[in-house]
Coordinates of all heavy atoms in Angstrom, one line a residue:
T1 N 15.9 21.1 12.3 CA 15.8 20.9 10.9 C 16.3 22.1 10.1 O 16.4 23.2 10.7 CB 14.3 20.7 10.5 OG1 14.2 20.2 9.2 CG2 13.4 21.9 10.7
H2 N 16.5 21.9 8.9 CA 16.9 23.0 8.0 C 15.7 23.5 7.1 O 14.8 22.7 6.9 CB 18.1 22.6 7.2 CG 19.4 22.7 7.9 ND1 19.6 21.9 9.0 CD2 20.4 23.5 7.8 CE1 20.8 22.2 9.5 NE2 21.3 23.2 8.8
V3 N 15.8 24.7 6.6 CA 14.7 25.3 6.0 C 15.2 26.0 4.7 O 16.2 26.6 4.6 CB 14.1 26.4 6.9 CG1 13.1 27.3 6.2 CG2 13.5 25.8 8.1
V4 N 14.4 25.8 3.6 CA 14.7 26.6 2.3 C 13.9 27.9 2.4 O 12.7 27.9 2.7 CB 14.3 25.8 1.1 CG1 14.7 26.5 -0.2 CG2 14.9 24.4 1.1
A5 N 14.6 29.0 2.2 CA 14.0 30.3 2.3 C 13.9 31.1 1.0 O 14.1 30.5 -0.1 CB 14.7 31.1 3.4
E6 N 13.5 32.3 1.1 CA 13.1 33.2 0.0 C 14.1 33.2 -1.2 O 13.7 33.2 -2.4 CB 12.9 34.6 0.5 CG 12.0 35.5 -0.4 CD 12.8 36.1 -1.5 OE1 14.1 36.2 -1.4 OE2 12.2 36.4 -2.6
P7 N 15.4 33.2 -1.0 CA 16.3 33.2 -2.2 C 16.1 32.1 -3.2 O 16.5 32.3 -4.3 CB 17.7 33.2 -1.5 CG 17.5 33.7 -0.2 CD 16.2 33.2 0.3
C8 N 15.5 31.0 -2.8 CA 15.3 29.9 -3.7 C 14.1 30.2 -4.6 O 14.0 29.6 -5.7 CB 15.0 28.6 -2.9 SG 14.8 27.1 -4.0
F9 N 13.2 31.1 -4.2 CA 12.0 31.4 -4.9 C 12.3 31.9 -6.4 O 13.1 32.8 -6.6 CB 11.2 32.5 -4.2 CG 9.8 32.7 -4.7 CD1 8.8 31.7 -4.5 CD2 9.5 33.8 -5.5 CE1 7.5 31.9 -5.0 CE2 8.2 34.0 -6.0 CZ 7.3 33.0 -5.8
N10 N 11.7 31.3 -7.3 CA 11.9 31.5 -8.8 C 13.3 31.3 -9.2 O 13.8 31.9 -10.1 CB 11.5 33.0 -9.1 CG 10.0 33.1 -9.2 OD1 9.3 32.2 -9.4 ND2 9.5 34.4 -9.2
C11 N 14.0 30.4 -8.5 CA 15.4 30.1 -8.8 C 15.7 28.7 -8.9 O 16.0 28.2 -10.0 CB 16.2 30.7 -7.6 SG 17.9 30.9 -7.9
K12 N 15.6 27.9 -7.9 CA 15.8 26.5 -7.9 C 17.0 26.0 -8.6 O 17.0 25.3 -9.6 CB 14.5 25.8 -8.6 CG 13.2 26.0 -7.8 CD 12.2 24.9 -8.1 CE 11.5 25.0 -9.4 NZ 10.4 24.1 -9.5
Y13 N 18.2 26.4 -8.0 CA 19.4 25.9 -8.6 C 19.6 24.4 -8.5 O 20.2 23.8 -9.4 CB 20.6 26.5 -7.8 CG 21.1 27.8 -8.5 CD1 20.9 29.0 -7.9 CD2 21.9 27.7 -9.6 CE1 21.4 30.2 -8.5 CE2 22.4 28.9 -10.2 CZ 22.1 30.1 -9.6 OH 22.6 31.2 -10.2
T14 N 19.0 23.8 -7.5 CA 19.0 22.3 -7.2 C 20.4 21.7 -7.0 O 20.5 20.5 -7.0 CB 18.3 21.5 -8.3 OG1 18.9 21.6 -9.6 CG2 16.8 22.0 -8.5
D15 N 21.4 22.5 -6.7 CA 22.7 22.0 -6.3 C 22.5 21.2 -5.0 O 23.2 20.2 -4.7 CB 23.7 23.1 -6.1 CG 24.0 23.8 -7.3 OD1 23.1 24.5 -7.9 OD2 25.2 23.7 -7.8
C16 N 21.6 21.7 -4.2 CA 21.4 21.1 -2.8 C 20.9 19.7 -2.8 O 21.4 18.9 -2.0 CB 20.3 22.0 -2.1 SG 18.8 22.2 -3.0
V17 N 20.1 19.3 -3.8 CA 19.5 18.0 -3.7 C 20.5 16.9 -3.9 O 20.4 15.7 -3.4 CB 18.4 17.8 -4.8 CG1 17.3 18.9 -4.6 CG2 18.9 17.8 -6.2
V18 N 21.6 17.2 -4.7 CA 22.6 16.1 -5.0 C 23.3 15.7 -3.8 O 23.7 14.5 -3.7 CB 23.5 16.7 -6.1 CG1 24.5 15.6 -6.6 CG2 22.8 17.3 -7.3
V19 N 23.6 16.6 -2.9 CA 24.4 16.3 -1.7 C 23.6 15.7 -0.5 O 24.2 15.3 0.5 CB 25.3 17.5 -1.3 CG1 26.2 17.9 -2.4 CG2 24.4 18.6 -0.8
C20 N 22.3 15.8 -0.6 CA 21.5 15.4 0.6 C 21.5 13.9 0.7 O 21.1 13.1 -0.1 CB 20.0 15.9 0.4 SG 19.0 15.4 1.8
P21 N 22.0 13.4 1.9 CA 22.1 12.0 2.1 C 20.8 11.3 2.4 O 20.7 10.0 2.4 CB 23.1 11.9 3.3 CG 22.9 13.1 4.1 CD 22.5 14.2 3.0
V22 N 19.8 12.1 2.8 CA 18.5 11.4 3.1 C 17.4 11.8 2.1 O 16.2 11.5 2.4 CB 18.1 11.8 4.6 CG1 19.0 11.2 5.6 CG2 18.0 13.3 4.7
E23 N 17.7 12.5 1.1 CA 16.7 12.8 0.0 C 15.5 13.5 0.6 O 14.4 13.0 0.4 CB 16.4 11.6 -0.8 CG 17.6 10.9 -1.4 CD 17.3 9.8 -2.4 OE1 16.2 9.3 -2.4 OE2 18.3 9.4 -3.1
C24 N 15.7 14.5 1.3 CA 14.6 15.2 2.0 C 14.2 16.5 1.3 O 13.4 17.3 1.9 CB 14.9 15.5 3.4 SG 16.1 16.7 3.8
F25 N 14.6 16.7 0.0 CA 14.2 17.9 -0.7 C 12.9 17.5 -1.6 O 12.9 16.5 -2.2 CB 15.3 18.4 -1.6 CG 16.3 19.2 -0.9 CD1 17.5 18.6 -0.4 CD2 16.2 20.6 -0.6 CE1 18.4 19.3 0.3 CE2 17.1 21.3 0.1 CZ 18.3 20.6 0.5
Y26 N 12.0 18.5 -1.6 CA 10.8 18.3 -2.3 C 10.6 19.5 -3.2 O 10.8 20.6 -2.8 CB 9.6 18.1 -1.4 CG 9.7 16.7 -0.7 CD1 10.6 16.6 0.4 CD2 9.1 15.6 -1.2 CE1 10.8 15.4 1.1 CE2 9.3 14.4 -0.5 CZ 10.1 14.3 0.6 OH 10.4 13.1 1.2
E27 N 10.1 19.2 -4.4 CA 10.0 20.3 -5.4 C 8.7 20.9 -5.6 O 7.7 20.3 -6.1 CB 10.5 19.8 -6.8 CG 10.6 20.9 -7.8 CD 11.1 20.5 -9.2 OE1 11.1 19.3 -9.4 OE2 11.4 21.4 -10.0
G28 N 8.5 22.2 -5.2 CA 7.3 23.0 -5.5 C 7.5 23.7 -6.8 O 8.5 23.6 -7.4
E29 N 6.4 24.3 -7.2 CA 6.4 25.0 -8.5 C 7.5 26.1 -8.6 O 8.2 26.2 -9.6 CB 5.1 25.7 -8.8 CG 4.3 25.0 -9.9 CD 2.9 25.7 -10.1 OE1 2.9 26.8 -10.5 OE2 1.9 25.0 -9.7
S30 N 7.7 26.8 -7.5 CA 8.6 28.0 -7.6 C 9.8 27.8 -6.7 O 10.8 28.7 -6.8 CB 7.9 29.2 -7.1 OG 6.7 29.4 -7.9
M31 N 9.8 26.8 -5.8 CA 11.0 26.7 -4.9 C 11.0 25.2 -4.4 O 10.1 24.5 -4.6 CB 11.0 27.7 -3.8 CG 9.9 27.6 -2.8 SD 10.0 28.8 -1.5 CE 11.2 28.0 -0.4
L32 N 12.1 24.9 -3.7 CA 12.2 23.6 -3.1 C 11.9 23.7 -1.6 O 12.0 24.8 -1.0 CB 13.6 23.0 -3.2 CG 13.8 22.1 -4.4 CD1 13.4 22.8 -5.7 CD2 15.2 21.6 -4.5
Y33 N 11.5 22.6 -1.0 CA 11.2 22.6 0.4 C 11.9 21.4 1.1 O 12.1 20.3 0.4 CB 9.7 22.4 0.7 CG 8.9 23.4 0.0 CD1 8.2 23.1 -1.2 CD2 8.8 24.7 0.5 CE1 7.4 24.1 -1.9 CE2 8.1 25.7 -0.2 CZ 7.4 25.4 -1.3 OH 6.6 26.3 -2.0
I34 N 12.3 21.5 2.3 CA 12.9 20.5 3.1 C 11.9 19.9 4.0 O 11.2 20.6 4.7 CB 14.1 21.0 3.9 CG1 15.3 21.4 3.0 CG2 14.6 19.9 4.9 CD1 16.4 22.0 3.7
H35 N 11.8 18.5 4.0 CA 10.9 17.9 5.0 C 11.4 17.8 6.4 O 12.5 17.2 6.6 CB 10.6 16.4 4.5 CG 9.4 15.8 5.1 ND1 9.2 15.7 6.5 CD2 8.2 15.3 4.6 CE1 8.0 15.2 6.7 NE2 7.4 14.9 5.6
P36 N 10.8 18.5 7.3 CA 11.4 18.6 8.7 C 11.6 17.3 9.4 O 12.4 17.2 10.3 CB 10.4 19.6 9.4 CG 9.1 19.5 8.6 CD 9.5 19.2 7.2
D37 N 10.8 16.3 9.1 CA 10.9 15.0 9.8 C 12.0 14.2 9.2 O 12.4 13.1 9.7 CB 9.6 14.2 9.7 CG 8.5 15.0 10.4 OD1 8.8 15.8 11.3 OD2 7.3 14.7 10.1
E38 N 12.5 14.6 8.0 CA 13.5 13.7 7.3 C 14.9 14.3 7.4 O 15.9 13.6 7.3 CB 13.1 13.5 5.9 CG 11.8 12.8 5.7 CD 11.3 12.7 4.3 OE1 11.9 13.2 3.4 OE2 10.2 12.0 4.1
C39 N 15.0 15.7 7.5 CA 16.3 16.3 7.5 C 17.1 15.9 8.8 O 16.5 15.9 9.9 CB 16.1 17.9 7.5 SG 17.6 18.8 7.7
I40 N 18.3 15.5 8.6 CA 19.1 15.1 9.8 C 20.2 16.2 10.2 O 21.1 15.9 11.0 CB 19.9 13.8 9.4 CG1 20.8 13.9 8.2 CG2 18.9 12.6 9.2 CD1 21.7 12.8 7.9
D41 N 20.0 17.4 9.7 CA 20.9 18.5 10.1 C 22.4 18.2 9.8 O 23.2 18.6 10.5 CB 20.7 18.8 11.5 CG 19.4 19.5 11.8 OD1 18.8 20.0 10.9 OD2 18.9 19.5 13.0
C42 N 22.6 17.6 8.6 CA 24.0 17.3 8.3 C 24.7 18.5 7.7 O 25.9 18.6 7.7 CB 24.1 16.2 7.2 SG 23.6 16.7 5.6
E43 N 23.9 19.5 7.3 CA 24.4 20.8 6.8 C 25.2 20.7 5.4 O 25.8 21.7 5.0 CB 25.3 21.5 7.8 CG 24.7 21.6 9.2 CD 25.4 22.6 10.1 OE1 26.6 22.7 10.0 OE2 24.7 23.1 11.0
A44 N 25.2 19.6 4.8 CA 25.9 19.4 3.5 C 25.4 20.4 2.4 O 26.1 20.9 1.6 CB 25.8 18.0 3.0
C45 N 24.1 20.7 2.5 CA 23.5 21.5 1.4 C 23.8 23.0 1.5 O 23.7 23.7 0.6 CB 21.9 21.3 1.4 SG 21.1 21.7 3.0
I46 N 24.1 23.4 2.8 CA 24.2 24.9 3.0 C 25.3 25.5 2.1 O 24.9 26.5 1.4 CB 24.5 25.2 4.5 CG1 23.3 24.8 5.3 CG2 24.9 26.6 4.7 CD1 23.4 25.1 6.8
P47 N 26.5 25.0 2.0 CA 27.5 25.6 1.1 C 27.2 25.4 -0.3 O 27.8 26.1 -1.2 CB 28.8 25.0 1.6 CG 28.4 23.7 2.2 CD 27.1 23.9 2.8
E48 N 26.4 24.5 -0.7 CA 26.1 24.2 -2.1 C 25.2 25.2 -2.8 O 25.2 25.3 -4.0 CB 25.5 22.8 -2.2 CG 26.4 21.6 -1.8 CD 27.7 21.6 -2.5 OE1 27.7 21.8 -3.8 OE2 28.7 21.4 -1.9
C49 N 24.3 25.8 -2.0 CA 23.4 26.7 -2.6 C 24.0 28.0 -3.0 O 24.5 28.8 -2.2 CB 22.2 27.0 -1.6 SG 21.0 28.2 -2.3
P50 N 24.0 28.4 -4.3 CA 24.7 29.6 -4.8 C 24.1 30.9 -4.3 O 24.7 31.9 -4.3 CB 24.6 29.5 -6.3 CG 24.2 28.1 -6.6 CD 23.5 27.6 -5.4
V51 N 22.8 30.8 -3.9 CA 22.2 32.1 -3.4 C 21.9 32.0 -1.9 O 21.1 32.9 -1.4 CB 20.8 32.3 -4.2 CG1 21.1 32.7 -5.6 CG2 19.9 31.1 -4.1
E52 N 22.5 31.1 -1.2 CA 22.4 31.0 0.3 C 21.0 31.0 0.7 O 20.5 31.9 1.6 CB 23.2 32.2 0.9 CG 24.7 32.0 0.6 CD 25.5 33.1 1.3 OE1 25.1 33.6 2.3 OE2 26.6 33.4 0.8
A53 N 20.2 30.1 0.2 CA 18.8 30.0 0.6 C 18.5 29.1 1.7 O 17.4 29.0 2.2 CB 18.0 29.5 -0.7
I54 N 19.5 28.3 2.2 CA 19.2 27.3 3.2 C 19.8 27.6 4.5 O 21.0 28.0 4.6 CB 19.8 25.9 2.7 CG1 19.2 25.5 1.3 CG2 19.4 24.8 3.7 CD1 19.9 24.3 0.7
F55 N 19.0 27.5 5.5 CA 19.4 27.9 6.9 C 18.9 26.8 7.9 O 17.9 26.2 7.7 CB 18.7 29.2 7.3 CG 19.1 30.4 6.5 CD1 18.4 30.6 5.3 CD2 20.1 31.2 6.9 CE1 18.7 31.7 4.5 CE2 20.4 32.3 6.1 CZ 19.8 32.5 4.9
H56 N 19.7 26.7 9.0 CA 19.1 26.0 10.1 C 18.0 26.8 10.7 O 18.1 28.1 10.6 CB 20.1 25.7 11.2 CG 19.6 24.8 12.3 ND1 18.8 25.3 13.3 CD2 19.8 23.5 12.5 CE1 18.5 24.3 14.1 NE2 19.1 23.2 13.7
E57 N 16.9 26.2 11.1 CA 15.7 27.0 11.5 C 16.1 28.0 12.6 O 15.5 29.1 12.7 CB 14.6 26.1 12.0 CG 14.9 25.2 13.2 CD 13.7 24.4 13.6 OE1 12.5 24.8 13.3 OE2 13.9 23.3 14.2
D58 N 17.1 27.7 13.4 CA 17.5 28.6 14.5 C 18.3 29.8 13.9 O 18.5 30.8 14.6 CB 18.4 27.9 15.5 CG 17.6 26.9 16.3 OD1 16.4 26.9 16.3 OD2 18.3 26.0 16.9
N59 N 18.8 29.7 12.7 CA 19.6 30.8 12.1 C 18.9 31.5 11.0 O 19.4 32.4 10.3 CB 20.9 30.2 11.5 CG 21.8 29.6 12.5 OD1 21.8 29.9 13.6 ND2 22.6 28.6 12.0
L60 N 17.6 31.2 10.8 CA 16.8 31.8 9.8 C 16.6 33.3 10.0 O 16.2 33.6 11.1 CB 15.5 31.1 9.7 CG 14.5 31.3 8.6 CD1 15.1 30.9 7.2 CD2 13.2 30.6 8.8
P61 N 17.0 34.1 9.1 CA 16.7 35.6 9.3 C 15.2 35.8 9.6 O 14.3 35.1 9.0 CB 17.1 36.2 7.9 CG 18.1 35.2 7.3 CD 17.6 33.9 7.8
E62 N 15.0 36.7 10.5 CA 13.6 36.9 11.0 C 12.6 37.2 9.9 O 11.4 36.7 10.0 CB 13.6 38.1 12.0 CG 12.5 38.0 13.0 CD 12.7 39.1 14.1 OE1 13.9 39.4 14.5 OE2 11.7 39.6 14.5
E63 N 13.0 37.9 8.9 CA 12.1 38.3 7.8 C 11.5 37.0 7.1 O 10.6 37.1 6.4 CB 12.8 39.2 6.9 CG 13.9 38.5 6.1 CD 15.0 39.5 5.6 OE1 14.7 40.2 4.6 OE2 16.1 39.5 6.2
W64 N 12.3 35.9 7.3 CA 11.8 34.7 6.5 C 11.3 33.7 7.5 O 11.2 32.5 7.1 CB 13.0 34.1 5.8 CG 13.5 35.1 4.7 CD1 12.7 36.0 4.0 CD2 14.8 35.2 4.1 NE1 13.5 36.7 3.1 CE2 14.8 36.2 3.1 CE3 16.0 34.5 4.4 CZ2 15.9 36.5 2.4 CZ3 17.1 34.9 3.6 CH2 17.1 35.9 2.6
N65 N 10.9 34.1 8.7 CA 10.3 33.2 9.7 C 9.2 32.2 9.1 O 9.1 31.1 9.5 CB 9.7 34.0 10.8 CG 10.7 34.2 11.9 OD1 11.8 33.6 11.9 ND2 10.4 35.1 12.8
E66 N 8.4 32.8 8.3 CA 7.3 32.0 7.8 C 7.7 30.8 6.9 O 6.9 29.9 6.7 CB 6.3 32.9 6.9 CG 6.9 33.2 5.5 CD 6.9 34.7 5.1 OE1 7.4 35.5 5.9 OE2 6.3 35.0 4.1
F67 N 8.9 30.8 6.5 CA 9.4 29.7 5.6 C 9.5 28.4 6.4 O 9.5 27.3 5.8 CB 10.7 30.0 4.9 CG 10.5 30.9 3.7 CD1 10.4 32.3 3.9 CD2 10.3 30.4 2.5 CE1 10.2 33.2 2.8 CE2 10.0 31.2 1.4 CZ 10.0 32.6 1.6
T68 N 9.7 28.4 7.7 CA 9.8 27.2 8.5 C 8.4 26.4 8.4 O 8.4 25.2 8.0 CB 10.0 27.5 10.0 OG1 11.3 28.2 10.1 CG2 10.2 26.2 10.8
Q69 N 7.3 27.1 8.6 CA 6.0 26.5 8.4 C 5.7 26.1 7.0 O 5.2 25.0 6.7 CB 4.9 27.4 9.0 CG 3.6 26.8 9.1 CD 3.6 25.6 10.1 OE1 4.1 25.7 11.2 NE2 3.0 24.5 9.7
L70 N 6.2 27.0 6.1 CA 5.9 26.7 4.6 C 6.6 25.4 4.2 O 6.0 24.6 3.5 CB 6.4 27.9 3.8 CG 6.1 27.8 2.3 CD1 4.6 28.0 2.1 CD2 6.8 28.9 1.5
N71 N 7.9 25.2 4.6 CA 8.6 24.0 4.3 C 7.8 22.8 4.9 O 7.7 21.7 4.2 CB 10.0 24.0 4.8 CG 11.0 24.7 3.9 OD1 11.9 24.2 3.4 ND2 10.8 26.0 3.7
A72 N 7.4 22.9 6.1 CA 6.7 21.8 6.8 C 5.3 21.5 6.1 O 5.0 20.3 5.9 CB 6.4 22.1 8.3
D73 N 4.6 22.5 5.6 CA 3.3 22.3 5.0 C 3.5 21.8 3.6 O 2.7 21.0 3.1 CB 2.6 23.7 4.9 CG 2.1 24.1 6.3 OD1 2.1 23.3 7.2 OD2 1.7 25.3 6.4
M74 N 4.4 22.3 2.8 CA 4.5 22.0 1.4 C 5.3 20.7 1.1 O 5.0 20.1 0.1 CB 5.2 23.2 0.7 CG 4.3 24.5 0.7 SD 2.7 24.3 0.0 CE 3.1 23.9 -1.7
S75 N 6.3 20.4 1.9 CA 7.1 19.3 1.5 C 6.3 18.0 1.4 O 6.6 17.2 0.5 CB 8.3 19.1 2.5 OG 7.9 19.1 3.8
P76 N 5.3 17.7 2.3 CA 4.6 16.5 2.1 C 3.7 16.4 0.9 O 3.2 15.4 0.5 CB 3.7 16.4 3.4 CG 4.3 17.4 4.3 CD 4.9 18.4 3.5
Q77 N 3.5 17.6 0.3 CA 2.6 17.7 -0.9 C 3.3 17.7 -2.2 O 2.6 17.7 -3.2 CB 1.7 19.0 -0.8 CG 0.9 19.2 0.5 CD 0.2 20.5 0.4 OE1 -0.3 20.9 -0.6 NE2 0.1 21.1 1.6
C78 N 4.6 17.7 -2.1 CA 5.4 17.9 -3.4 C 6.2 16.6 -3.7 O 6.5 15.8 -2.7 CB 6.3 19.0 -3.3 SG 5.5 20.6 -3.1
P79 N 6.6 16.4 -4.9 CA 7.4 15.2 -5.3 C 8.8 15.4 -4.8 O 9.4 16.5 -4.8 CB 7.3 15.2 -6.8 CG 7.0 16.6 -7.2 CD 6.2 17.2 -6.1
V80 N 9.4 14.3 -4.4 CA 10.8 14.4 -4.0 C 11.7 14.7 -5.2 O 11.3 14.4 -6.3 CB 11.2 13.0 -3.4 CG1 11.3 11.9 -4.4 CG2 12.6 13.1 -2.6
I81 N 12.8 15.4 -5.0 CA 13.7 15.7 -6.1 C 15.1 15.3 -5.6 O 15.6 15.7 -4.5 CB 13.6 17.2 -6.5 CG1 14.7 17.5 -7.6 CG2 13.7 18.2 -5.3 CD1 14.6 18.8 -8.3
T82 N 15.8 14.5 -6.4 CA 17.1 14.0 -6.0 C 18.1 14.3 -7.1 O 19.3 14.0 -6.9 CB 17.1 12.5 -5.8 OG1 16.6 11.8 -7.0 CG2 16.1 12.2 -4.6
E83 N 17.7 14.7 -8.3 CA 18.6 15.0 -9.4 C 18.6 16.5 -9.8 O 17.6 17.1 -9.8 CB 18.3 14.1 -10.6 CG 18.7 12.7 -10.4 CD 18.3 11.8 -11.5 OE1 18.1 12.3 -12.7 OE2 18.1 10.6 -11.3
Q84 N 19.8 17.0 -10.0 CA 19.9 18.4 -10.4 C 19.3 18.7 -11.8 O 19.3 17.8 -12.6 CB 21.4 18.8 -10.5 CG 21.6 20.3 -10.7 CD 23.0 20.7 -10.2 OE1 23.9 20.0 -10.1 NE2 23.1 22.0 -9.9
K85 N 18.7 19.8 -11.9 CA 18.2 20.3 -13.2 C 18.5 21.7 -13.4 O 19.0 22.4 -12.5 CB 16.7 20.0 -13.3 CG 15.9 20.7 -12.2 CD 14.4 20.3 -12.3 CE 13.5 21.5 -12.2 NZ 12.1 21.1 -12.3
A86 N 18.2 22.2 -14.6 CA 18.6 23.6 -14.9 C 17.7 24.6 -14.0 O 16.6 24.3 -13.7 CB 18.3 23.9 -16.4
P87 N 18.3 25.7 -13.6 CA 17.6 26.6 -12.8 C 16.4 27.2 -13.6 O 16.4 27.2 -14.8 CB 18.6 27.7 -12.4 CG 19.9 27.4 -13.1 CD 19.7 26.1 -13.8
M88 N 15.5 27.8 -12.9 CA 14.3 28.4 -13.5 C 14.7 29.5 -14.5 O 15.6 30.3 -14.2 CB 13.3 29.0 -12.5 CG 12.7 27.9 -11.7 SD 11.6 28.5 -10.4 CE 10.2 29.1 -11.4
G89 N 14.0 29.7 -15.6 CA 14.3 30.7 -16.6 C 15.3 30.2 -17.7 O 15.5 30.9 -18.7
G90 N 15.8 29.0 -17.5 CA 16.7 28.5 -18.5 C 18.1 29.0 -18.4 O 19.0 28.3 -19.0
D91 N 18.4 30.1 -17.7 CA 19.7 30.5 -17.4 C 19.8 31.0 -16.0 O 18.8 30.9 -15.3 CB 20.3 31.5 -18.4 CG 19.4 32.8 -18.4 OD1 18.9 33.1 -17.4 OD2 19.2 33.4 -19.5
D92 N 20.9 31.5 -15.6 CA 21.0 31.9 -14.2 C 20.5 33.3 -13.9 O 20.6 33.8 -12.8 CB 22.5 31.8 -13.8 CG 22.9 30.3 -13.6 OD1 22.1 29.5 -13.8 OD2 24.1 30.1 -13.4
A93 N 20.0 34.0 -15.0 CA 19.8 35.4 -14.8 C 18.8 35.8 -13.7 O 19.1 36.7 -12.9 CB 19.2 36.0 -16.1
A94 N 17.7 35.1 -13.6 CA 16.7 35.4 -12.5 C 17.3 35.2 -11.1 O 17.0 36.0 -10.2 CB 15.5 34.5 -12.7
C95 N 18.2 34.3 -11.0 CA 18.7 34.0 -9.7 C 19.8 35.0 -9.3 O 19.9 35.5 -8.2 CB 19.3 32.6 -9.6 SG 18.2 31.4 -10.1
E96 N 20.6 35.4 -10.3 CA 21.8 36.2 -10.1 C 21.4 37.6 -9.7 O 22.1 38.4 -9.0 CB 22.7 36.3 -11.3 CG 23.1 34.9 -11.8 CD 24.5 34.6 -11.6 OE1 25.3 35.5 -11.7 OE2 24.9 33.5 -11.3
Q97 N 20.2 38.0 -10.1 CA 19.7 39.4 -9.8 C 19.4 39.6 -8.3 O 19.2 40.7 -7.8 CB 18.4 39.7 -10.6 CG 18.8 40.0 -12.0 CD 17.5 40.0 -12.9 OE1 16.4 39.9 -12.4 NE2 17.7 40.1 -14.2
K98 N 19.2 38.5 -7.6 CA 18.9 38.6 -6.2 C 20.0 39.2 -5.4 O 21.1 39.0 -5.6 CB 18.5 37.2 -5.6 CG 17.2 36.7 -6.1 CD 16.9 35.4 -5.6 CE 15.6 34.8 -6.0 NZ 14.4 35.4 -5.4
Ligands
F3S101 FE1 17.0 26.5 -4.1 FE2 19.6 26.8 -3.5 FE3 18.6 24.4 -3.7 S1 18.4 28.0 -5.0 S2 17.0 24.5 -5.2 S3 18.0 25.9 -2.2 S4 20.6 25.1 -4.4

């Protein structure tokens, strides 16, 4: 499965959701999560994320290990998101600083 990691936090560009063929992105307050039972590992979302927040779980940087469990825990509790929206903060500033 693929995992949304720390760069998405307080950012939520949402470019990723548009290309997902199985609609497996779920929207939390501060970031998005991928449902591990729904992701088919197509990798379409990886190049779409401007802040490189999405990784295959095997390629996840060690410092973000906890995000695998976080995606699994949070995705079933959050609403699905399939349409792009403005990033957090109303402009790209918060995301670009990362
Ligand atoms: Fe987050 Fe990147 Fe998607 S910032 S919402 S994983 S495009």
Side-chain angles (χ1 to χ4, degrees):
T1 193
H2 282 67
V3 171
V4 185
E6 200 278 338
C8 186
F9 190 74
N10 282 343
C11 195
K12 297 207 284 193
Y13 266 108
T14 65
D15 297 66
C16 52
V17 306
V18 185
V19 299
C20 181
V22 293
E23 301 186 348
C24 71
F25 283 94
Y26 293 81
E27 184 180 13
E29 251 177 67
S30 306
M31 63 177 283
L32 266 56
Y33 306 104
I34 291 174
H35 196 305
D37 298 336
E38 297 176 359
C39 175
I40 58 170
D41 289 339
C42 74
E43 308 192 333
C45 57
I46 292 182
E48 296 302 317
C49 178
V51 291
E52 297 182 27
I54 306 173
F55 298 85
H56 189 278
E57 60 180 336
D58 294 343
N59 297 332
L60 190 64
E62 204 172 325
E63 67 204 284
W64 295 333
N65 269 347
E66 76 228 55
F67 282 87
T68 303
Q69 191 62 47
L70 188 68
N71 278 243
D73 289 344
M74 293 304 294
S75 55
Q77 303 179 36
C78 296
V80 70
I81 175 169
T82 58
E83 286 177 22
Q84 187 158 22
K85 59 185 225 179
M88 291 177 73
D91 58 35
D92 290 355
C95 304
E96 308 248 324
Q97 283 166 10
K98 287 181 179 283

